[in-house]
Amino acid sequence: MYSSAFSVHVRPLRPIRALATVAITLIALVSIVAVGLSGLRILYEGDRLWRLVYEWEALYTLLLSPIVLLFPILYLLAGIAFVCWLFRARANAYAISPGVFHTYAAPYLVLGWVLPIVNLFAPKGIVDDILATSRPGGLRPGSDLFRARRSGLVWAWWLTWVLWPYATLASVGLAGTDMEDMESALESGLADLALITGIALPIAAGLLAIRVVLTITDLQETARVKGPVRLPERGPVGKPHLGLTALVVRDYDEAIAFYVDVLGFELLEDTPQGEGGRWVTVRPRGARETALLLARADGLEQEARVGDQTGGRVGLFLHTDDFARDHERMLAAGVTFEETPRQEPYGTVAVFLDLYGNRWDLLQPRVSPAYG
């Protein structure tokens, strides 16, 4: 199902579970320490659960000091472990989806976390691309990741991760107010809000980050166990073949809906080309080379040819290995057949119409052609 326009070097997948385990462990510790830090300061300074031991200044100092010292160390270690896991995950993603180019170059796996402004979106984009290219079967070489569906899990993780530092600053700032201001904050509910966000966001960010790591790791380990990605045999690179045939259509989306949802083709590419134009290709599932280019009519002359590119002749031939199965499925999907199936010396055939009136043969050859 891959176009022969691509020459792809397939890399072996490498184990990733151990790196994921280290990253998950450190992320969990960072979340726990962050929750302890926020909770301890708010509870103590707010004179709530600590009211019975409020005068035990030594206890507060004893608990707070190690946490304050431990947090940046754990945070740095967790960041290093996560970036190491990212490098391995991205290398595996390239192996699962060969020939699919990720949005960000490799240096962004490190710089994306520290460059101002860039760190607000680059890490999410990197993880989005890795997840999209790690799914079962991978993506077709040359697929446009800008148009790939983005995961709600990654969105949730990134939002909590970005908001977490602000919640921490708010809780620490509130804890540092004097008692008169603190009492006012308690009465207004600000202390409750700071306590909830200062504790809930680290927990949510940690759990979601762990879930992201586990999801990608499980996908990649499953692919690794199944063995290396194997591209379909297609002969030497550059071997002459019919790659595309253009079909003039009125509208891209309605044509995609018919060929993909009704006929059961796969959408190979849908890439914007400016001024409303798109490069849209579809192909029967399992086919290896020839595909249809769905070309929107441009001007009155081309519009007049929609549905009549061959002057009323059958111009397209859809081969099948099970005529009865596909004939029944297409009838159920609402495809119009001009005739009942008939037996010919070359096989079983029936003429059907696409949504524009182009005439097609649904054909099960009696002897499979060499190019099929």
Side-chain angles (χ1 to χ4, degrees):
M1 57 182 285
Y2 294 90
S3 167
S4 59
F6 294 91
S7 177
V8 181
H9 171 66
V10 181
R11 318 178 196 189
L13 273 75
R14 300 174 63 190
I16 193 173
R17 185 77 65 186
L19 286 173
T21 301
V22 174
I24 287 171
T25 301
L26 289 170
I27 290 170
L29 289 174
V30 167
S31 296
I32 292 170
V33 172
V35 168
L37 182 62
S38 296
L40 185 61
R41 291 187 66 92
I42 290 292
L43 292 174
Y44 178 76
E45 301 287 353
D47 192 22
R48 288 204 164 179
L49 297 182
W50 287 90
R51 65 182 57 181
L52 296 178
V53 292
Y54 184 77
E55 67 279 7
W56 295 359
E57 187 72 25
L59 177 60
Y60 173 68
T61 304
L62 180 66
L63 291 173
L64 184 62
S65 297
I67 294 178
V68 171
L69 291 174
L70 184 61
F71 181 79
I73 297 173
L74 282 176
Y75 195 90
L76 177 62
L77 291 175
I80 293 173
F82 188 78
V83 169
C84 290
W85 172 84
L86 269 183
F87 271 99
R88 177 64 58 82
R90 187 159 120 143
N92 283 347
Y94 271 118
I96 295 171
S97 298
V100 178
F101 299 101
H102 291 217
T103 307
Y104 296 93
Y108 281 95
L109 272 70
V110 176
L111 298 178
W113 299 90
V114 296
L115 292 176
I117 307 301
V118 173
N119 59 9
L120 295 178
F121 55 84
K124 177 189 175 296
I126 291 168
V127 174
D128 264 328
D129 288 352
I130 291 173
L131 180 56
T133 50
S134 296
R135 298 192 182 280
L139 297 179
R140 185 182 66 87
S143 294
D144 183 4
L145 284 178
F146 280 107
R147 300 185 62 82
R149 181 188 303 174
R150 296 311 186 183
S151 167
L153 172 63
V154 177
W155 263 115
W157 158 67
W158 190 242
L159 287 175
T160 56
W161 195 265
V162 169
L163 292 175
W164 172 11
Y166 299 101
T168 301
L169 288 175
S171 64
V172 170
L174 184 61
T177 59
D178 58 36
M179 288 307 301
E180 182 178 347
D181 291 337
M182 175 59 71
E183 289 175 0
S184 175
L186 289 171
E187 292 176 359
S188 67
L190 288 177
D192 290 329
L193 179 61
L195 177 60
I196 292 171
T197 56
I199 291 178
L201 277 176
I203 293 174
L207 289 176
L208 289 168
I210 289 170
R211 183 60 184 164
V212 167
V213 172
L214 284 176
T215 298
I216 293 174
T217 298
D218 288 343
L219 289 172
Q220 296 191 351
E221 283 294 327
T222 299
R224 190 174 69 86
V225 169
K226 288 182 177 179
V229 176
R230 297 185 183 276
L231 299 183
E233 295 295 331
R234 59 177 184 261
V237 174
K239 174 185 175 182
H241 68 280
L242 184 63
L244 289 172
T245 183
L247 185 66
V248 182
V249 301
R250 277 195 302 262
D251 178 81
Y252 294 118
D253 292 324
E254 70 177 9
I256 291 172
F258 177 80
Y259 289 106
V260 174
D261 299 335
V262 177
L263 290 191
F265 286 19
E266 61 179 334
L267 178 63
L268 298 180
E269 189 170 358
D270 185 354
T271 304
Q273 292 198 307
E275 298 182 357
R278 289 151 63 179
W279 184 267
V280 179
T281 59
V282 296
R283 180 170 54 192
R285 296 187 183 279
R288 290 164 51 189
E289 290 185 341
T290 307
L292 279 180
L293 172 65
L294 303 181
R296 189 182 63 184
D298 183 12
L300 295 178
E301 185 175 352
Q302 290 186 20
E303 289 176 3
R305 296 293 182 182
V306 173
D308 190 31
Q309 287 184 228
T310 58
R313 290 183 60 90
V314 172
L316 296 160
F317 300 82
L318 179 60
H319 284 205
T320 176
D321 60 353
D322 189 333
F323 183 94
R325 176 199 65 203
D326 289 334
H327 181 258
E328 181 179 353
R329 179 185 59 78
M330 291 166 66
L331 283 174
V335 176
T336 300
F337 279 83
E338 288 190 331
E339 60 184 353
T340 57
R342 51 190 165 86
Q343 299 295 327
E344 298 290 350
Y346 50 83
T348 306
V349 63
V351 177
F352 70 91
L353 306 178
D354 67 13
L355 76 166
Y356 299 114
N358 293 302
R359 303 180 76 223
W360 291 61
D361 267 358
L362 177 64
L363 172 64
Q364 181 175 2
R366 197 171 300 280
V367 178
S368 297
Y371 58 83

